[in-house]
Amino acid sequence: MAEQEGSGLQVLLRKLQNSSDRASILAILQVLADLLSVGTDRRIRYMISKGGSEALLQTLVDTARTASPDYDILLPLFRLLTKVGLRDKKFGQKALELEALDVTLILARKNLSHSQNLLHCLWALRVFASSVTTGAMLGINGAMELLFKVIPPYTRKHTRMIRAATEVLAALLKSKSNSRRAVNRGYVTSLLRLHQDWHGHDTANACVLIRRALLLCLKHIAALRSGREAFLAAQGMEILFSTTQNALDDRSLEPVMSVALQVLRQCYPKSPLPLVAASSAYTFPACGNIPSEPPRVPAEEDFEDEGDEEEDKDSDSEDTKEEDDDLETDVNKLSAKPGLDRPEEELAQYEAMCLELFCSFEELEAKPTDAMNSEEVEHATHHHIPAAASLKQQQLNKDQSSWGQEREDTFQTPLLGTAKRGRSTGQPVSKKRPGMNLYQNAQCNGLGVDSSRNEILDILAFLREEAWDVHMTSCPRMMDSFSNSTGSRDTVEVIDRLLQTHPQHVPFHDPHIYLAKARGTRSVTDFQTMAFPDLWGHCPSSSPEPMLERKRGIQRIKIFEDIRRFIQPSDVINKVVFSLDEPWQNTATSCLQFSSKFESGNLRKAIQVREFEYDLLVNTDVNSTQYQQWFNFKISGMRAAVPYRFNIINCEKPNSQFNYGMQPTMYSVKEALLGRPTWKRTGYEICYYKNHYRESTAVTGGASRKCYYTLTFAVTFPHNEDVCYLAYHYPYTYTALMTHLDILGKSINPTKVYFRQEVLCQTLGGNPCPLVTITAMPESASTDHLEQFRQRPYHVLTARVHPGESNASWVMKGTLEFLVSSDPVARLLRENFIFKIIPMLNPDGVINGNHRCSLRGEDLNRQWLTPRPQLQPTIYHAKGLLYYLRSIGHSPVVFCDFHGHSQKKNVFVYGCSIKETLWQAEPAVGTSAVLEDVSYRTLPKILDKVAPAFTMSSCSFLVEKSRASTARVVVWREMGVPRSYTMESSYCGCNQGPYQGLQFGTCNLEEMGAMFCLGLLILELKSVSCSHQLLTRAATLLSAEDEALDHHLQRRSSSSLASDLDDEPPCLEEIDYCPDSHSDPEGSCSELDQQIQEWASHQDEGEEDEEGPGQGRRAAL
């Protein structure tokens, strides 16, 4: 049947080409029109495959070249050509070869006074121009000059024809040669005049599509440097800015405003960042050759084409199948390759890090875990383990000398009782409205009145005393004689007075211990001050924090504000008020005061733009010119209830969760002293967009320059003259970790819990990298019990290899606290496993405010293949420890590296699979012969069932070439660990499950750490190697939670599988990150088809047939 249809169509097409009979031609055209008017594009593509395009084009040429062209044939022929040509990617080339371009141009010139005939010619030209090379040929043959004759100033006549002409012109100007021709002939000024005229007169917005097409012409011209220069010289910025100001909120003008904004952004003059150097303000004399560029591969949208000389090329001439070239398809490289990257004898040094396997427990029990010095003991207040999943944290005041009692009361809510039992069926939490005050209980009167006005005034008076500096706690810890210094005693006395006046209840934190630990923290610039939030501590927010609802049009508003600065520079203050490079600039008093010279701080420069608006620049990573994302800085001198706007103008990533509900975090000192020591989400009118700054040519050597992005947000502070800290995410510093580990080690029962903290190695900056071992003490020192103890398998967990991913540390904090708790799940885990934990792989980066790199400017998670002890000591020794465990038959059951993710929501993992990688890449090598342990999927599936924040749908098990040197891939390949993971936690929050619509707080992240531990237990209980003893022990300890345990041990039903979730929910407006956005559907099939259909439905109304029926149908060629 198909062959008969094919032969019948071919007969019709041959008849059409060879017939000279008018009636036959008209009949065939009618049959073809009827055939293509129904069904899908499949019929048109089938006709193309049978030579339909060539037949129609040949008929056009033959008919047009007759002595008296018959428009009764030409008009339906043009309509068919338009419909078919839009689907034929080689249509332009075919038209060129058959000389249909010249014929159509001649017909158009002859019909300038006949709107219907001209309209059909324009439709054909529009299809021809969809090919850039054909469009360039039309430009050479005078098509643009013809179109400028057709496009008049504003008129209400022939609008359909004028729209078609402007759209043809916009399509022609996609060709760079045509755009250059337009610039040389002064068409930029002509287009601006036309835009002004149509915009000013079209008050009813009846001709929006004509106005949009005129702006598209300017957009394509502005793709050239010479076009942008001509646009600026013709006052184009001022014209477009003024003509669009009254239409910002008019939704009917959305097509016009979108393109106008793109033109303004393209033509905004590019400038380098206002910095003295592209490299970091901090340097570190690292040994070895420092890489000239960090191993980051920028995306294509990170660069902008500045040149004019590129030749016109068609990108759509052939159907091309895009392949993910980053996927590893070499089976040999995907297969496990156990081996050593160092001499085997070097592994002996790691025996000292596994003393639990060799030492006598009589000696260990007699030895303190990690003795504190007398000053720390004097001021320490230890805390019990709180419920990991409970939002209500507790502080108990029991005597810490009662080690012999197991603290059964510390976990009021067992972990199994908090695990999710399926997807949330409740209503999603409503989004936070723009402008909501984050401090609901604080009055914005500058005094922070709580319950007693006098109490607050006393606080303010106290803060003004010489002994306490509200702006920053003095910390002269770097002085050699610190322990005996007067400054030290004064600081301790101040802290004591503050604690007496304003007692703080922060679990696992003590300001005195923090102060003592801070002495040993070494920074590149020798920080002499501490951030108050680190000293005082943080308690999780008592209420959920919903994602911020995006204000419609906020990006557009902010971009127009940037453009206003360019057009009206007199309104801009432009005063530097803070600079790491020029510290003498930091003396301004009539504005906000900024500081970032404290641990994990990052702010390089602050420029006052207007009274309450500041441009901020963050510092690059030490010894690097890249990775501007993390920020953490102090602000003081603010007024209450006044909106302040902050624009961080040198961000690098082309997208951010700040566009999808995420907010920065803020900590108020006055709120903390009032009993609310909390980092809270803050800010409104938030958006993230590409700006006009570009990488300096001095850095690129004249090559394409990297683009930068602006994060802008407004903040209303709760108090006058407060001190507040703003950060990208909840900070978690190295000193806070060391304080936490110290208190944690003293909060456990050493007769039950084996907790040992030691040093993995010293970092390049001279800071000890901690290694923690957690398991249960053996029941006794008998041979059987010691043998059982030493046969326990290992889990190895790491975190914070990327310093800016502070969320990973909060997850790790939850893991550590849970593992030493009295929860029955934790007890089972300790009794059956040994945990080796490196909670911070990059202490130097964390201390110095880096986002991604070490002090050498290297991404340490790209150094696992061949780390060197002198250059990447933490990676070298972490890998050495893993090698050692494998060598003694204790390869970890699970290896997991905790990370943070800035582009996605929820929590998810990346794992490694040979088959999934090969299936995705579709290589020539088959996968049938590949054998693989599929257990790598079990733990993520368990987490998907038990952890509220986790989603399986975002997990991936592909192995990319660019990730070959990451911890996940190296441990999987070289150590032979099938369950080797990277666990990613969103900076933002969840779009699924019980936490849908909520931003993550620290309690959610800590809960995820505890749930990860629960997943490890269930993984073991589900395994075929699980011992009967463990199952019996689980039944005994978890008898009160047997239903919950049964639920988590069930096999996952198909109905419970989570469907794929869109990573980003749609915003109220499209977010355009680059001028060359694909947001304008120029020349889409449906749009041109719709124009033809509209013409057919209105052809009897006489709107455009002013010549009268039949006139102009037989104009001479």
Side-chain angles (χ1 to χ4, degrees), residues 900-950:
H901 206 288
S902 65
Q903 302 288 319
K904 292 184 178 181
K905 291 183 172 67
N906 310 306
V907 181
F908 52 95
V909 300
Y910 293 132
C912 302
S913 167
I914 300 177
K915 285 197 171 184
E916 292 195 36
T917 304
L918 296 178
W919 286 335
Q920 179 72 23
E922 298 180 359
V925 179
T927 60
S928 58
V930 176
L931 299 178
E932 184 171 43
D933 179 0
V934 297
S935 63
Y936 63 87
R937 277 186 165 265
T938 307
L939 179 59
K941 287 181 177 180
I942 293 170
L943 293 174
D944 190 44
K945 293 177 66 174
V946 303
F950 194 91

Side-chain angles (χ1 to χ4, degrees), residues 507-714:
F508 296 104
H509 187 78
D510 187 298
H512 296 95
I513 298 179
Y514 180 90
L515 182 62
K517 291 292 180 184
R519 303 175 198 166
T521 300
R522 298 186 180 183
S523 61
V524 169
T525 57
D526 194 20
F527 294 140
Q528 296 296 310
T529 54
M530 291 183 295
F532 184 88
D534 261 9
L535 175 70
W536 200 249
H538 156 81
C539 284
S541 177
S542 59
S543 58
E545 297 183 283
M547 294 181 192
L548 182 70
E549 183 178 346
R550 182 180 172 87
K551 178 180 176 181
R552 186 184 185 278
I554 184 62
Q555 175 183 301
R556 182 167 299 163
I557 293 169
K558 299 311 169 190
I559 294 173
F560 274 117
E561 288 181 3
D562 289 349
I563 294 166
R564 186 189 299 275
R565 288 198 211 178
F566 172 73
I567 295 174
Q568 302 169 358
S570 60
D571 295 342
V572 179
I573 298 174
N574 200 32
K575 180 175 70 174
V576 177
V577 296
F578 171 78
S579 174
L580 293 179
D581 303 292
E582 304 160 312
W584 58 88
Q585 305 263 23
N586 305 349
T587 57
T589 56
S590 59
C591 59
L592 293 179
Q593 284 85 53
F594 296 84
S595 176
S596 63
K597 297 196 72 172
F598 50 83
E599 187 176 349
S600 289
N602 190 320
L603 179 68
R604 183 169 185 171
K605 192 171 187 177
I607 303 169
Q608 187 176 19
V609 178
R610 297 184 178 91
E611 183 178 6
F612 302 112
E613 182 176 4
Y614 296 82
D615 281 353
L616 308 177
L617 294 100
V618 296
N619 200 12
T620 63
D621 287 2
V622 177
N623 281 329
S624 170
T625 60
Q626 297 188 34
Y627 303 116
Q628 295 108 299
Q629 181 168 323
W630 172 258
F631 59 86
N632 181 15
F633 54 90
K634 186 201 75 171
I635 308 173
S636 58
M638 67 283 291
R639 302 184 201 173
V642 173
Y644 287 85
R645 174 153 297 281
F646 301 101
N647 311 307
I648 301 178
I649 62 174
N650 64 331
C651 302
E652 283 190 319
K653 291 199 172 183
N655 198 350
S656 171
Q657 281 292 316
F658 283 116
N659 276 323
Y660 304 100
M662 177 176 160
Q663 296 171 284
T665 60
M666 185 172 86
Y667 189 105
S668 163
V669 171
K670 286 189 177 181
E671 285 292 309
L673 295 178
L674 289 170
R676 296 182 287 270
T678 302
W679 282 98
K680 297 184 74 84
R681 300 280 188 168
T682 190
Y684 52 94
E685 295 186 356
I686 300 175
C687 70
Y688 188 96
Y689 60 92
K690 181 184 284 187
N691 58 39
H692 66 283
Y693 291 107
R694 299 294 179 266
E695 193 172 20
S696 170
T697 53
V699 175
T700 64
S704 296
R705 300 189 291 169
K706 181 177 63 180
C707 304
Y708 290 100
Y709 297 79
T710 292
L711 165 63
T712 179
F713 57 93

Side-chain angles (χ1 to χ4, degrees), residues 791-1077:
Q791 290 302 316
R792 292 175 188 172
Y794 278 76
H795 291 306
V796 177
L797 308 178
T798 62
R800 210 65 184 280
V801 70
H802 294 147
E805 295 169 7
S806 59
N807 40 1
S809 281
W810 289 103
V811 175
M812 181 60 79
K813 181 175 184 287
T815 297
L816 287 165
E817 291 179 10
F818 177 75
L819 284 175
V820 299
S821 73
S822 60
D823 188 279
V825 172
R827 270 192 273 170
L828 276 177
L829 284 169
R830 290 195 302 266
E831 291 168 1
N832 290 275
F833 295 99
I834 299 174
F835 289 84
K836 288 290 185 184
I837 299 174
I838 308 173
M840 192 171 285
L841 276 167
N842 192 350
D844 293 339
V846 173
I847 292 166
N848 293 285
N850 283 6
H851 173 65
R852 195 171 183 87
C853 296
S854 68
L855 293 185
R856 298 187 73 250
E858 291 178 324
D859 181 348
L860 289 181
N861 202 35
R862 298 297 185 274
Q863 306 299 322
W864 278 78
L865 274 177
T866 55
R868 296 171 60 187
Q870 301 85 3
L871 305 182
Q872 304 94 20
T874 61
I875 305 303
Y876 181 84
H877 291 291
K879 189 176 181 182
L881 177 61
L882 286 161
Y883 273 139
Y884 175 74
L885 290 175
R886 189 193 67 185
S887 71
I888 61 174
H890 279 289
S891 286
V893 177
V894 170
F895 170 84
C896 192
D897 189 18
F898 294 176
H899 282 252
H901 206 288
S902 65
Q903 302 288 319
K904 292 184 178 181
K905 291 183 172 67
N906 310 306
V907 181
F908 52 95
V909 300
Y910 293 132
C912 302
S913 167
I914 300 177
K915 285 197 171 184
E916 292 195 36
T917 304
L918 296 178
W919 286 335
Q920 179 72 23
E922 298 180 359
V925 179
T927 60
S928 58
V930 176
L931 299 178
E932 184 171 43
D933 179 0
V934 297
S935 63
Y936 63 87
R937 277 186 165 265
T938 307
L939 179 59
K941 287 181 177 180
I942 293 170
L943 293 174
D944 190 44
K945 293 177 66 174
V946 303
F950 194 91
T951 177
M952 185 71 180
S953 62
S954 294
C955 296
S956 173
F957 304 94
L958 305 180
V959 180
E960 302 96 341
K961 297 173 186 175
S962 60
R963 303 294 189 274
S965 56
T966 61
R968 163 178 63 98
V969 177
V970 170
V971 173
W972 169 71
R973 186 169 180 266
E974 294 189 17
M975 314 295 174
V977 179
R979 299 186 189 94
S980 178
Y981 305 106
T982 297
M983 186 165 76
E984 301 274 2
S985 302
S986 173
Y987 286 110
C988 182
C990 281
N991 61 4
Q992 57 82 42
Y995 298 151
Q996 183 175 1
L998 295 179
Q999 298 182 81
F1000 282 146
T1002 56
C1003 58
N1004 307 121
L1005 297 169
E1006 291 183 51
E1007 178 192 72
M1008 185 63 231
M1011 290 297 174
F1012 183 83
C1013 297
L1014 173 59
L1016 294 178
L1017 177 62
I1018 298 174
L1019 175 69
E1020 178 63 17
L1021 295 176
K1022 288 171 70 75
S1023 69
V1024 294
S1025 61
C1026 181
S1027 66
H1028 176 73
Q1029 181 181 3
L1030 175 56
L1031 289 171
T1032 304
R1033 183 75 172 136
T1036 302
L1037 287 179
L1038 304 176
S1039 58
E1041 299 291 336
D1042 55 352
E1043 292 184 4
L1045 181 61
D1046 289 343
H1047 167 78
H1048 295 307
L1049 292 178
Q1050 289 173 358
R1051 285 192 174 274
R1052 188 180 183 89
S1053 64
S1054 58
S1055 61
S1056 67
L1057 288 171
S1059 59
D1060 287 342
L1061 296 167
D1062 289 336
D1063 175 38
E1064 310 295 1
C1067 289
L1068 294 178
E1069 66 171 351
E1070 180 174 357
I1071 299 177
D1072 170 35
Y1073 294 102
C1074 60
D1076 252 353
S1077 134

Side-chain angles (χ1 to χ4, degrees), residues 89-132:
K89 292 186 176 182
K90 297 183 179 180
F91 193 73
Q93 185 63 32
K94 294 174 182 177
L96 186 61
E97 293 173 356
L98 294 173
E99 301 180 353
L101 300 183
D102 295 338
V103 165
T104 307
L105 276 176
I106 293 172
L107 288 173
R109 290 190 180 99
K110 294 296 184 180
N111 285 280
L112 290 177
S113 59
H114 305 289
S115 60
Q116 284 204 49
N117 297 354
L118 180 58
L119 176 62
H120 284 70
C121 294
L122 292 172
W123 283 338
L125 290 173
R126 174 67 187 82
V127 178
F128 296 152
S130 61
S131 164
V132 175

